[in-house]
Amino acid sequence: MGLLSRSLSLTAVSLAALIVAQGSAQAGAFALREQSATAQGYSFAGAASGSGYLSSMFWNPAVITMAPGWQSEWHTSVIIPRVDINPLPSVPTFALGSSGDIGEDAVVPAGYSSYQINDMFWVGVSSTSPYGLVTDPRENWSGQLYSRSSRIFSVNVNPVLGVKVNDWFSFAVGPSLQYFDIRLKRAVPFPGAPAASATLPGAPSAILDGDDVGFGFTAGVTITPFAGTTIGIGYRSQVEHELEGDLSAPFGSIGPFARVPITAKLKTPDQLTVGISQVITPAITVHAGFEWTNWSVLKTPLVIGPGGVAVTDIPLNYEDGFFYSVGADYKLNDQWTLRAGVAYEESPIDTEICSTRLPDNDRIWASVGASYQWNDRLSFDVAYTHIFSKETDIRIVPGHQDYAGLPYLADVDSAVDIVSAGLRYRWDDPKVAIPAVPLVRKY
């Protein structure tokens, strides 16, 4: 099988896995950080400086120049969230009870491939799911006026070109194609009944559904100022989507139509990631990372119906998100490498805008992981993370962006476990020298 056909086959396999996956947001708001079992073992410390090997290209495509020869990686994360929304006794709909566990277990795959053309140029491609969310409370519950189920799904394909300028500086850039799909459901009044009937058991639902394909890019650099020190800076651009779909509800519950076509413009945020990796001894390397995500670009997308009239909106108005991480690995022997890391995440969602769809808050990540080198071509990675969430309150009262005439106050109990596994394989012979850039002679 030729290089091109095999690379396309690998990408197709990764895409097929992504299409059947459902995401459960675990990177602040509705982003997914679980793109690498290797980097997860450090709580993603040094992800932009190559701690995740080839999978680090999700955060910084320039790390592709650190992968010799022809390599591929596949990673899968199983996210197991537990999120319960418990209304306070003062809530008018208290009798309908709590949400139940709104968190849905999710499988998030990712795939990466790279090929070194010579000692200066690399090409590669990644297929990932950078955004995802599934929350599904009981159909009849105390907060159904504000949300029933929510789903966000994405697939991103990102080919890149990497250039190693010299021994201490490399850069890479590439376009990204992103599919984005959203489906939001909430209770609405019975047809012809007062608005308050939306809080009754068995109330019908309105469903907002839309999808789109958008384009962006990734870029990054790696710098090796001294032997044993690697600094990486990566950037993922905004991707603007013009979602097309429909808003549906039982005839007469929200208007004279049961279904209307809609459009909505939504930007996914740009992201800057910085990492540093430092070799301490031949067996020990430490890593640190910083990530900024520009969630404030979301604002409040308007949902436009027939005739260009706004039929509703999607109030988001997030703040920017920040992620700080440190970690280390220990090379136990030629086969085994152990790693661990911790991180603190500042959520873009605070109590002023916290919703029943996504009751997010600041949290602490604690991770452990290991790699096993089976031979000079094949290795395996595993990682486990527990996320400790800060105590979260929902306070939907007059002045809150979601307020719809009924106060809703609740406490949120949440925790998350993540188990990940990865496989790395080198297709070429590591013992065969990589060709140098051909010399150009003048005659």
Side-chain angles (χ1 to χ4, degrees), residues 206-255:
I207 301 174
L208 175 68
D209 202 343
D211 64 357
D212 181 58
V213 174
F215 299 90
F217 70 92
T218 64
V221 300
T222 60
I223 303 168
T224 307
F226 344 93
T229 301
T230 304
I231 300 169
I233 304 172
Y235 177 76
R236 298 182 67 87
S237 76
Q238 298 176 18
V239 178
E240 184 169 344
H241 291 280
E242 183 157 358
L243 305 171
E244 295 185 355
D246 54 62
L247 175 63
S248 60
F251 181 83
S253 60
I254 59 173

Side-chain angles (χ1 to χ4, degrees), residues 58 95 211 281 306 400:
F58 176 82
D211 64 357
T281 72
H400 189 285

Side-chain angles (χ1 to χ4, degrees), residues 94-172:
F94 178 78
L96 287 177
S98 69
S99 65
D101 185 1
I102 71 173
E104 292 287 308
D105 295 351
V107 177
V108 181
Y112 308 87
S113 289
S114 71
Y115 181 77
Q116 182 178 1
I117 299 172
N118 50 42
D119 61 357
M120 185 175 183
F121 296 104
W122 279 253
V123 291
V125 64
S126 66
S127 50
T128 60
S129 181
Y131 302 100
L133 168 70
V134 178
T135 57
D136 191 13
R138 294 185 298 109
E139 185 74 4
N140 295 302
W141 74 290
S142 58
Q144 66 188 31
L145 175 64
Y146 293 108
S147 68
R148 280 178 168 160
S149 62
S150 307
R151 187 198 71 201
I152 293 173
F153 173 73
S154 69
V155 176
N156 186 289
V157 179
N158 179 205
V160 300
L161 170 67
V163 181
K164 187 173 184 178
V165 178
N166 50 41
D167 289 339
W168 63 272
F169 181 76
S170 297
F171 70 90

Side-chain angles (χ1 to χ4, degrees), residues 237-287:
S237 76
Q238 298 176 18
V239 178
E240 184 169 344
H241 291 280
E242 183 157 358
L243 305 171
E244 295 185 355
D246 54 62
L247 175 63
S248 60
F251 181 83
S253 60
I254 59 173
F257 303 102
R259 182 185 300 269
V260 294
I262 58 92
T263 61
K265 290 185 178 180
L266 182 145
K267 290 182 181 179
T268 57
D270 46 338
Q271 174 182 298
L272 179 71
T273 309
V274 180
I276 182 168
S277 299
Q278 176 64 56
V279 175
I280 304 300
T281 72
I284 299 174
T285 304
V286 296
H287 309 271

Side-chain angles (χ1 to χ4, degrees), residues 253-336:
S253 60
I254 59 173
F257 303 102
R259 182 185 300 269
V260 294
I262 58 92
T263 61
K265 290 185 178 180
L266 182 145
K267 290 182 181 179
T268 57
D270 46 338
Q271 174 182 298
L272 179 71
T273 309
V274 180
I276 182 168
S277 299
Q278 176 64 56
V279 175
I280 304 300
T281 72
I284 299 174
T285 304
V286 296
H287 309 271
F290 166 79
E291 184 178 288
W292 164 76
T293 307
N294 187 20
W295 285 109
S296 58
V297 303
L298 293 176
K299 303 185 185 302
T300 298
L302 293 177
V303 178
I304 307 300
V309 177
V311 295
T312 186
D313 58 26
I314 307 174
L316 298 171
N317 297 309
Y318 296 165
E319 298 176 348
D320 290 349
F322 299 89
F323 190 82
Y324 317 87
S325 54
V326 293
D329 60 58
Y330 176 68
K331 189 174 178 61
L332 190 62
N333 52 43
D334 289 341
Q335 285 76 43
W336 286 98

Side-chain angles (χ1 to χ4, degrees), residues 35-42 55 75-77 339 369 381-383 420-422:
Q35 311 295 338
S36 166
T38 317
Q40 186 192 315
Y42 308 100
S55 61
H75 298 259
T76 300
S77 296
R339 55 182 63 93
D381 296 274
V382 293
S420 298

